[in-house]
Amino acid sequence: MESVPLRCPACRRDHAYVTPVYPCPCGEPTAPPLLRGAPVTPITHRTWNDDWVTVRCRGCGRHDQWPQPELCCPCGAVLRVPVRPVASAGAVRPAHIPLPRTAAAPRPAFRPLTIRTARDAVSAAAHYLTWLGFREVTHPANRPASRVDLRAAGLIAQVDSSTRPTALRDVECLWLNALNGSVRGVLFSLAGYAPEARERADALFVPLFVMDLTGSPQPVNGAADELFSTGA
């Protein structure tokens, strides 16, 4: 892990900052490249865009969005640690192509559960995840503060049964919850997704599914296509 010396501009205290490391989907440990010698800046106002940085995986070359490195000084200042900009990837990457299913036995035809209530939507999503091959899919009686509606071995899922398109923040919060638990995060929505939410999900490789009232989830991005193709 990379360590760089930093000085708080508020109290002049010196720190040794260790770069956080995140797992790329390819399995390679990935860390934001710190900009040595550049001064840190106090954070006085937060925006979602400023809280993320682009990081390139050295193993596979993939560009992903990771949390902006920060340091909390004992004096109370929260400092943004400068990151070296990632060079443009050049040509736009082609659309994701789902992998062929490689399971030993094909899945039986999916039998949906009709959705009449918000609880039905959660049950329909749980039924679908079980059909995909996830084991021990459970959902709490009361929705927790994390807004995680379903849990299974190696997976958490959120089910948005509102009448508004699922927002960008929902995608990012689910991804962070999944990252903290070292599991995969999946989103289901009855009203679809805002354009910026779909863009962020594509960048973070979060599977997005949309459901109609018949209870039949449909993949809406490449990560969901792959999950549908390969199963759990």
Side-chain angles (χ1 to χ4, degrees), residues 135-148:
R135 296 176 290 106
E136 302 174 357
V137 181
T138 61
H139 52 91
N142 297 312
R143 196 181 203 193
S146 64
R147 302 180 67 185
V148 173

Side-chain angles (χ1 to χ4, degrees), residues 88-205:
S88 174
V92 178
R93 289 180 294 174
H96 178 79
I97 301 175
L99 297 176
R101 179 169 172 79
T102 57
R107 292 190 297 259
F110 178 68
R111 297 183 178 181
L113 300 177
T114 303
I115 297 175
R116 297 183 179 87
T117 65
R119 191 68 177 174
D120 288 343
V122 175
S123 297
H127 179 57
Y128 184 77
L129 291 173
T130 300
W131 177 74
L132 286 178
F134 290 96
R135 296 176 290 106
E136 302 174 357
V137 181
T138 61
H139 52 91
N142 297 312
R143 196 181 203 193
S146 64
R147 302 180 67 185
V148 173
D149 297 292
L150 297 169
R151 293 184 181 274
L155 175 136
I156 60 174
Q158 180 178 329
V159 182
D160 186 356
S161 58
S162 68
T163 57
R164 294 182 178 180
T166 301
L168 166 66
R169 184 166 185 172
D170 292 314
V171 172
E172 293 177 328
C173 288
L174 174 70
W175 177 79
L176 284 173
N177 283 325
L179 182 67
N180 288 334
S182 299
V183 295
R184 179 185 299 181
V186 181
L187 254 174
F188 295 85
S189 176
L190 284 176
Y193 301 86
E196 60 270 24
R198 290 192 58 172
E199 291 177 3
R200 181 67 79 190
D202 288 341
L204 299 177
F205 208 65

Side-chain angles (χ1 to χ4, degrees), residues 1-6 15-22 30-40 53-55 58 67-71 79-86:
M1 292 183 291
E2 183 181 9
S3 176
V4 296
L6 302 176
H15 301 272
Y17 180 78
V18 178
T19 311
V21 177
Y22 303 98
T30 306
L34 301 185
L35 191 59
R36 287 181 173 272
V40 296
V53 293
T54 301
V55 179
R58 295 183 179 180
Q68 164 72 47
E70 296 178 0
L71 173 68
L79 310 174
R80 179 174 289 117
V81 181
V83 173
R84 187 167 61 250
V86 175

